[in-house]
Amino acid sequence: MKRRNVIAAIGTLAIGSGTAIGTGAFNATSTSADSSMSIITERSDVDVDVNPGSGAGSGNIRDSLYSDTEIENIDVDDLPLAAVADNGQGMVHVQIIGVVGTDETFSNIVELTNNDADQSYEMGFYYDGGFTEEVTSGDKLSKSEATDVFEFTHDSTVISSLDGSSGGTVQLDAAGGTNDTVQVSIDFNGTDTRLNEEYGLSAGGFGTNGATQLELIDQVTAFADEV
């Protein structure tokens, strides 16, 4: 019987609306260096490291986190942006700042590495239990709709879902195998129909309540099933 090992990831996946705030600085009132998404491995259960991927430091994926001051002064025309940084012990911090109406794939932003020479894993991500009040209040996006905005992918296969039962997985060979390290991307789907219906310009954007940034997901969980 397979044994599921839970790898916790906490932090923030955020959206912003350029149409609501116009050009100039992206005044992200609640996004900060401290609210980055942290992907954390429980090393006592599974010997898998999460590291910055091969795409870190290229394109619009920075290989160090944005400071609070830098975030406050981001130009909306430069969005979407991401950053990833190694925080030690097989863990990373990830920042993503997307803008409604724009799609972006942050290719190979993180990598998964299996250090266990005796065990292979099937790995994926799920969001259930990790939504902010913006989603759980039920006023706008449902939980399943929010998961469509941020998707973890490997070789164009979505490996994330609401509860881990419907999404795909990626297999990590035992250490020393051909695929003991795999690259994972994060797709930001800012043109998603439901997202635009609720947060796009036609819906008043964020200007109606004076906010320029809202968080949808504050926790992601990665799982590893023994193969």
Short mmCIF file of all heavy atoms in Angstrom, two decimals, residues 45-97:
data_model
loop_
_atom_site.label_atom_id
_atom_site.label_comp_id
_atom_site.label_asym_id
_atom_site.label_seq_id
_atom_site.Cartn_x
_atom_site.Cartn_y
_atom_site.Cartn_z
N ASP A 45 10.06 12.48 6.89
CA ASP A 45 9.16 11.55 6.22
C ASP A 45 9.61 11.19 4.81
O ASP A 45 9.40 10.07 4.36
CB ASP A 45 7.75 12.13 6.16
CG ASP A 45 7.10 12.23 7.52
OD1 ASP A 45 7.42 11.42 8.40
OD2 ASP A 45 6.28 13.15 7.69
N VAL A 46 10.16 12.16 4.11
CA VAL A 46 10.55 11.92 2.73
C VAL A 46 11.79 12.74 2.43
O VAL A 46 11.85 13.93 2.75
CB VAL A 46 9.39 12.27 1.76
CG1 VAL A 46 8.91 13.69 1.97
CG2 VAL A 46 9.81 12.06 0.32
N ASP A 47 12.78 12.11 1.83
CA ASP A 47 14.05 12.79 1.58
C ASP A 47 14.05 13.40 0.19
O ASP A 47 14.78 12.98 -0.71
CB ASP A 47 15.21 11.80 1.74
CG ASP A 47 16.55 12.51 1.88
OD1 ASP A 47 16.55 13.76 1.96
OD2 ASP A 47 17.58 11.83 1.91
N VAL A 48 13.17 14.37 0.00
CA VAL A 48 13.07 15.12 -1.26
C VAL A 48 13.36 16.58 -0.97
O VAL A 48 12.79 17.16 -0.05
CB VAL A 48 11.68 14.97 -1.89
CG1 VAL A 48 11.55 15.88 -3.12
CG2 VAL A 48 11.42 13.53 -2.29
N ASP A 49 14.24 17.18 -1.76
CA ASP A 49 14.55 18.60 -1.63
C ASP A 49 13.78 19.40 -2.67
O ASP A 49 13.59 18.95 -3.80
CB ASP A 49 16.04 18.86 -1.84
CG ASP A 49 16.88 18.45 -0.63
OD1 ASP A 49 16.31 18.28 0.45
OD2 ASP A 49 18.10 18.29 -0.80
N VAL A 50 13.35 20.59 -2.28
CA VAL A 50 12.80 21.57 -3.21
C VAL A 50 13.82 22.69 -3.33
O VAL A 50 14.14 23.35 -2.34
CB VAL A 50 11.45 22.12 -2.72
CG1 VAL A 50 10.87 23.10 -3.74
CG2 VAL A 50 10.46 20.97 -2.47
N ASN A 51 14.33 22.90 -4.53
CA ASN A 51 15.38 23.89 -4.77
C ASN A 51 14.94 24.87 -5.85
O ASN A 51 13.99 24.59 -6.61
CB ASN A 51 16.66 23.18 -5.24
CG ASN A 51 17.19 22.19 -4.24
OD1 ASN A 51 17.38 22.50 -3.08
ND2 ASN A 51 17.42 20.96 -4.71
N PRO A 52 15.60 26.03 -5.97
CA PRO A 52 15.35 26.88 -7.12
C PRO A 52 15.59 26.10 -8.41
O PRO A 52 16.55 25.32 -8.50
CB PRO A 52 16.37 28.02 -6.95
CG PRO A 52 16.61 28.08 -5.47
CD PRO A 52 16.57 26.64 -5.02
N GLY A 53 14.71 26.27 -9.38
CA GLY A 53 14.83 25.52 -10.62
C GLY A 53 15.83 26.12 -11.58
O GLY A 53 16.44 27.17 -11.32
N SER A 54 15.97 25.47 -12.73
CA SER A 54 16.94 25.93 -13.73
C SER A 54 16.55 27.25 -14.34
O SER A 54 17.38 27.93 -14.96
CB SER A 54 17.09 24.87 -14.82
OG SER A 54 15.87 24.66 -15.50
N GLY A 55 15.28 27.66 -14.19
CA GLY A 55 14.84 28.94 -14.74
C GLY A 55 15.10 30.13 -13.84
O GLY A 55 14.90 31.28 -14.25
N ALA A 56 15.53 29.87 -12.60
CA ALA A 56 15.80 30.97 -11.67
C ALA A 56 16.93 31.84 -12.19
O ALA A 56 17.97 31.35 -12.62
CB ALA A 56 16.15 30.41 -10.30
N GLY A 57 16.70 33.15 -12.15
CA GLY A 57 17.72 34.09 -12.60
C GLY A 57 17.66 34.41 -14.07
O GLY A 57 18.53 35.12 -14.59
N SER A 58 16.63 33.91 -14.78
CA SER A 58 16.49 34.20 -16.20
C SER A 58 15.09 34.72 -16.48
O SER A 58 14.14 34.41 -15.75
CB SER A 58 16.76 32.95 -17.06
OG SER A 58 15.82 31.94 -16.76
N GLY A 59 14.96 35.51 -17.55
CA GLY A 59 13.66 36.07 -17.89
C GLY A 59 13.09 36.89 -16.75
O GLY A 59 13.77 37.75 -16.18
N ASN A 60 11.82 36.63 -16.39
CA ASN A 60 11.19 37.39 -15.31
C ASN A 60 11.10 36.59 -14.02
O ASN A 60 10.24 36.84 -13.19
CB ASN A 60 9.79 37.87 -15.74
CG ASN A 60 8.87 36.72 -16.12
OD1 ASN A 60 9.29 35.58 -16.21
ND2 ASN A 60 7.61 37.05 -16.36
N ILE A 61 12.03 35.62 -13.87
CA ILE A 61 12.16 34.88 -12.61
C ILE A 61 13.46 35.30 -11.95
O ILE A 61 14.56 34.96 -12.43
CB ILE A 61 12.15 33.36 -12.82
CG1 ILE A 61 10.90 32.92 -13.57
CG2 ILE A 61 12.23 32.66 -11.46
CD1 ILE A 61 10.87 31.43 -13.87
N ARG A 62 13.36 36.05 -10.90
CA ARG A 62 14.55 36.52 -10.20
C ARG A 62 15.04 35.44 -9.25
O ARG A 62 14.26 34.66 -8.71
CB ARG A 62 14.19 37.79 -9.44
CG ARG A 62 15.35 38.47 -8.74
CD ARG A 62 14.98 39.91 -8.43
NE ARG A 62 15.45 40.32 -7.13
CZ ARG A 62 15.46 41.58 -6.70
NH1 ARG A 62 14.99 42.54 -7.49
NH2 ARG A 62 15.89 41.89 -5.51
N ASP A 63 16.38 35.38 -9.06
CA ASP A 63 16.95 34.36 -8.19
C ASP A 63 17.22 34.87 -6.78
O ASP A 63 17.99 34.30 -6.03
CB ASP A 63 18.23 33.77 -8.79
CG ASP A 63 19.30 34.82 -9.06
OD1 ASP A 63 19.07 36.01 -8.74
OD2 ASP A 63 20.36 34.45 -9.60
N SER A 64 16.56 35.96 -6.41
CA SER A 64 16.57 36.46 -5.03
C SER A 64 15.25 37.16 -4.80
O SER A 64 14.63 37.67 -5.74
CB SER A 64 17.73 37.42 -4.79
OG SER A 64 17.65 38.55 -5.66
N LEU A 65 14.79 37.19 -3.56
CA LEU A 65 13.47 37.75 -3.28
C LEU A 65 13.48 39.27 -3.42
O LEU A 65 14.49 39.93 -3.18
CB LEU A 65 13.04 37.39 -1.86
CG LEU A 65 12.85 35.91 -1.56
CD1 LEU A 65 12.34 35.73 -0.13
CD2 LEU A 65 11.92 35.24 -2.55
N TYR A 66 12.32 39.81 -3.80
CA TYR A 66 12.14 41.26 -3.84
C TYR A 66 11.96 41.77 -2.41
O TYR A 66 11.25 41.16 -1.60
CB TYR A 66 10.90 41.63 -4.65
CG TYR A 66 11.04 41.40 -6.14
CD1 TYR A 66 10.56 40.23 -6.73
CD2 TYR A 66 11.65 42.35 -6.95
CE1 TYR A 66 10.68 40.02 -8.08
CE2 TYR A 66 11.78 42.15 -8.32
CZ TYR A 66 11.29 40.97 -8.87
OH TYR A 66 11.42 40.77 -10.23
N SER A 67 12.58 42.89 -2.11
CA SER A 67 12.39 43.52 -0.81
C SER A 67 11.05 44.24 -0.79
O SER A 67 10.42 44.46 -1.83
CB SER A 67 13.51 44.52 -0.52
OG SER A 67 13.42 45.64 -1.41
N ASP A 68 10.61 44.62 0.40
CA ASP A 68 9.35 45.37 0.52
C ASP A 68 9.37 46.63 -0.32
O ASP A 68 8.41 46.97 -1.02
CB ASP A 68 9.08 45.72 1.98
CG ASP A 68 8.79 44.49 2.82
OD1 ASP A 68 8.63 43.40 2.25
OD2 ASP A 68 8.74 44.63 4.06
N THR A 69 10.49 47.35 -0.27
CA THR A 69 10.61 48.61 -1.03
C THR A 69 10.54 48.35 -2.52
O THR A 69 9.87 49.09 -3.26
CB THR A 69 11.92 49.32 -0.68
OG1 THR A 69 11.95 49.62 0.71
CG2 THR A 69 12.06 50.61 -1.48
N GLU A 70 11.21 47.30 -2.99
CA GLU A 70 11.19 46.98 -4.42
C GLU A 70 9.78 46.61 -4.86
O GLU A 70 9.33 47.02 -5.94
CB GLU A 70 12.15 45.83 -4.71
CG GLU A 70 13.62 46.22 -4.62
CD GLU A 70 14.52 45.03 -4.81
OE1 GLU A 70 14.27 43.98 -4.18
OE2 GLU A 70 15.50 45.14 -5.57
N ILE A 71 9.06 45.86 -4.05
CA ILE A 71 7.70 45.47 -4.40
C ILE A 71 6.80 46.69 -4.51
O ILE A 71 5.98 46.82 -5.43
CB ILE A 71 7.14 44.46 -3.38
CG1 ILE A 71 7.87 43.12 -3.53
CG2 ILE A 71 5.64 44.27 -3.55
CD1 ILE A 71 7.50 42.10 -2.49
N GLU A 72 6.94 47.60 -3.57
CA GLU A 72 6.11 48.81 -3.57
C GLU A 72 6.33 49.66 -4.81
O GLU A 72 5.45 50.43 -5.21
CB GLU A 72 6.40 49.64 -2.31
CG GLU A 72 5.91 48.98 -1.03
CD GLU A 72 6.38 49.72 0.20
OE1 GLU A 72 7.11 50.73 0.03
OE2 GLU A 72 6.03 49.31 1.32
N ASN A 73 7.50 49.52 -5.44
CA ASN A 73 7.84 50.38 -6.58
C ASN A 73 7.86 49.63 -7.91
O ASN A 73 8.35 50.17 -8.90
CB ASN A 73 9.20 51.05 -6.34
CG ASN A 73 9.14 52.10 -5.25
OD1 ASN A 73 8.59 53.19 -5.44
ND2 ASN A 73 9.68 51.77 -4.09
N ILE A 74 7.32 48.41 -7.94
CA ILE A 74 7.24 47.68 -9.19
C ILE A 74 6.30 48.40 -10.15
O ILE A 74 5.20 48.81 -9.78
CB ILE A 74 6.76 46.24 -8.95
CG1 ILE A 74 7.87 45.43 -8.27
CG2 ILE A 74 6.35 45.57 -10.26
CD1 ILE A 74 7.44 44.02 -7.90
N ASP A 75 6.73 48.56 -11.40
CA ASP A 75 5.89 49.15 -12.43
C ASP A 75 4.92 48.09 -12.94
O ASP A 75 5.32 46.97 -13.26
CB ASP A 75 6.75 49.67 -13.57
CG ASP A 75 5.97 50.58 -14.51
OD1 ASP A 75 4.92 50.13 -15.02
OD2 ASP A 75 6.40 51.72 -14.74
N VAL A 76 3.65 48.42 -13.00
CA VAL A 76 2.64 47.47 -13.42
C VAL A 76 2.92 46.93 -14.82
O VAL A 76 2.55 45.80 -15.15
CB VAL A 76 1.23 48.09 -13.32
CG1 VAL A 76 1.05 49.17 -14.37
CG2 VAL A 76 0.16 47.02 -13.44
N ASP A 77 3.58 47.72 -15.65
CA ASP A 77 3.89 47.27 -17.01
C ASP A 77 4.89 46.12 -17.02
O ASP A 77 5.05 45.45 -18.04
CB ASP A 77 4.44 48.43 -17.84
CG ASP A 77 3.38 49.48 -18.13
OD1 ASP A 77 2.19 49.12 -18.11
OD2 ASP A 77 3.75 50.65 -18.37
N ASP A 78 5.59 45.91 -15.90
CA ASP A 78 6.58 44.84 -15.82
C ASP A 78 5.99 43.53 -15.31
O ASP A 78 6.68 42.50 -15.28
CB ASP A 78 7.73 45.25 -14.89
CG ASP A 78 8.54 46.41 -15.44
OD1 ASP A 78 8.61 46.52 -16.68
OD2 ASP A 78 9.09 47.18 -14.64
N LEU A 79 4.73 43.55 -14.88
CA LEU A 79 4.09 42.34 -14.36
C LEU A 79 3.62 41.44 -15.52
O LEU A 79 3.35 41.93 -16.59
CB LEU A 79 2.89 42.73 -13.49
CG LEU A 79 3.21 43.54 -12.24
CD1 LEU A 79 1.92 43.90 -11.51
CD2 LEU A 79 4.14 42.77 -11.31
N PRO A 80 3.55 40.12 -15.26
CA PRO A 80 3.78 39.37 -14.02
C PRO A 80 5.27 39.15 -13.76
O PRO A 80 6.08 39.09 -14.69
CB PRO A 80 3.07 38.03 -14.27
CG PRO A 80 2.23 38.23 -15.50
CD PRO A 80 2.95 39.27 -16.30
N LEU A 81 5.60 38.98 -12.48
CA LEU A 81 6.96 38.73 -12.04
C LEU A 81 6.98 37.60 -11.02
O LEU A 81 5.98 37.33 -10.35
CB LEU A 81 7.57 39.99 -11.41
CG LEU A 81 7.84 41.19 -12.31
CD1 LEU A 81 8.25 42.39 -11.46
CD2 LEU A 81 8.92 40.87 -13.33
N ALA A 82 8.13 36.98 -10.89
CA ALA A 82 8.30 35.95 -9.88
C ALA A 82 9.72 36.00 -9.35
O ALA A 82 10.63 36.54 -9.99
CB ALA A 82 8.00 34.56 -10.45
N ALA A 83 9.90 35.45 -8.17
CA ALA A 83 11.23 35.34 -7.58
C ALA A 83 11.29 34.04 -6.79
O ALA A 83 10.28 33.59 -6.24
CB ALA A 83 11.53 36.53 -6.66
N VAL A 84 12.46 33.44 -6.75
CA VAL A 84 12.64 32.20 -5.99
C VAL A 84 14.02 32.24 -5.35
O VAL A 84 14.98 32.70 -5.95
CB VAL A 84 12.49 30.96 -6.89
CG1 VAL A 84 13.48 30.97 -8.04
CG2 VAL A 84 12.61 29.67 -6.08
N ALA A 85 14.08 31.81 -4.10
CA ALA A 85 15.35 31.83 -3.38
C ALA A 85 15.45 30.61 -2.46
O ALA A 85 14.45 30.20 -1.86
CB ALA A 85 15.49 33.11 -2.56
N ASP A 86 16.63 30.04 -2.39
CA ASP A 86 16.89 28.90 -1.51
C ASP A 86 16.96 29.41 -0.08
O ASP A 86 17.69 30.35 0.22
CB ASP A 86 18.22 28.26 -1.91
CG ASP A 86 18.49 26.96 -1.18
OD1 ASP A 86 17.76 26.64 -0.23
OD2 ASP A 86 19.45 26.27 -1.56
N ASN A 87 16.19 28.82 0.82
CA ASN A 87 16.29 29.23 2.22
C ASN A 87 16.89 28.14 3.10
O ASN A 87 16.78 28.17 4.31
CB ASN A 87 14.91 29.66 2.76
CG ASN A 87 13.95 28.51 2.94
OD1 ASN A 87 14.18 27.42 2.42
ND2 ASN A 87 12.87 28.75 3.65
N GLY A 88 17.54 27.16 2.46
CA GLY A 88 18.27 26.14 3.21
C GLY A 88 17.42 24.94 3.57
O GLY A 88 16.20 24.98 3.53
N GLN A 89 18.07 23.83 3.88
CA GLN A 89 17.43 22.61 4.35
C GLN A 89 16.40 22.07 3.37
O GLN A 89 15.34 21.56 3.75
CB GLN A 89 16.80 22.83 5.73
CG GLN A 89 17.81 23.21 6.80
CD GLN A 89 17.19 23.39 8.17
OE1 GLN A 89 15.98 23.53 8.29
NE2 GLN A 89 18.02 23.38 9.19
N GLY A 90 16.69 22.19 2.08
CA GLY A 90 15.81 21.64 1.07
C GLY A 90 14.53 22.39 0.86
O GLY A 90 13.51 21.81 0.46
N MET A 91 14.54 23.69 1.12
CA MET A 91 13.34 24.50 1.00
C MET A 91 13.60 25.74 0.15
O MET A 91 14.74 26.17 0.01
CB MET A 91 12.85 24.93 2.39
CG MET A 91 12.48 23.77 3.30
SD MET A 91 12.04 24.30 4.98
CE MET A 91 13.67 24.59 5.68
N VAL A 92 12.53 26.32 -0.39
CA VAL A 92 12.65 27.57 -1.15
C VAL A 92 11.53 28.52 -0.77
O VAL A 92 10.48 28.10 -0.26
CB VAL A 92 12.60 27.34 -2.68
CG1 VAL A 92 13.80 26.56 -3.15
CG2 VAL A 92 11.30 26.68 -3.10
N HIS A 93 11.75 29.80 -1.02
CA HIS A 93 10.71 30.82 -0.96
C HIS A 93 10.40 31.22 -2.39
O HIS A 93 11.29 31.38 -3.22
CB HIS A 93 11.16 32.06 -0.19
CG HIS A 93 11.24 31.86 1.29
ND1 HIS A 93 10.23 31.32 2.04
CD2 HIS A 93 12.23 32.16 2.17
CE1 HIS A 93 10.58 31.29 3.31
NE2 HIS A 93 11.78 31.78 3.41
N VAL A 94 9.11 31.40 -2.68
CA VAL A 94 8.68 31.82 -4.02
C VAL A 94 7.76 33.02 -3.88
O VAL A 94 6.84 33.02 -3.07
CB VAL A 94 7.93 30.69 -4.75
CG1 VAL A 94 7.40 31.18 -6.09
CG2 VAL A 94 8.84 29.49 -4.96
N GLN A 95 7.99 34.05 -4.68
CA GLN A 95 7.09 35.19 -4.79
C GLN A 95 6.53 35.21 -6.20
O GLN A 95 7.28 35.06 -7.17
CB GLN A 95 7.83 36.51 -4.55
CG GLN A 95 8.36 36.71 -3.14
CD GLN A 95 9.26 37.94 -3.05
OE1 GLN A 95 10.01 38.22 -3.98
NE2 GLN A 95 9.20 38.63 -1.94
N ILE A 96 5.22 35.40 -6.31
CA ILE A 96 4.58 35.58 -7.61
C ILE A 96 3.65 36.77 -7.53
O ILE A 96 2.81 36.84 -6.62
CB ILE A 96 3.80 34.33 -8.04
CG1 ILE A 96 4.75 33.17 -8.33
CG2 ILE A 96 2.95 34.63 -9.29
CD1 ILE A 96 4.05 31.89 -8.74
N ILE A 97 3.80 37.70 -8.43
CA ILE A 97 2.91 38.85 -8.52
C ILE A 97 2.37 38.88 -9.94
O ILE A 97 3.10 39.16 -10.89
CB ILE A 97 3.61 40.17 -8.18
CG1 ILE A 97 4.33 40.08 -6.83
CG2 ILE A 97 2.60 41.32 -8.17
CD1 ILE A 97 5.15 41.31 -6.50
#
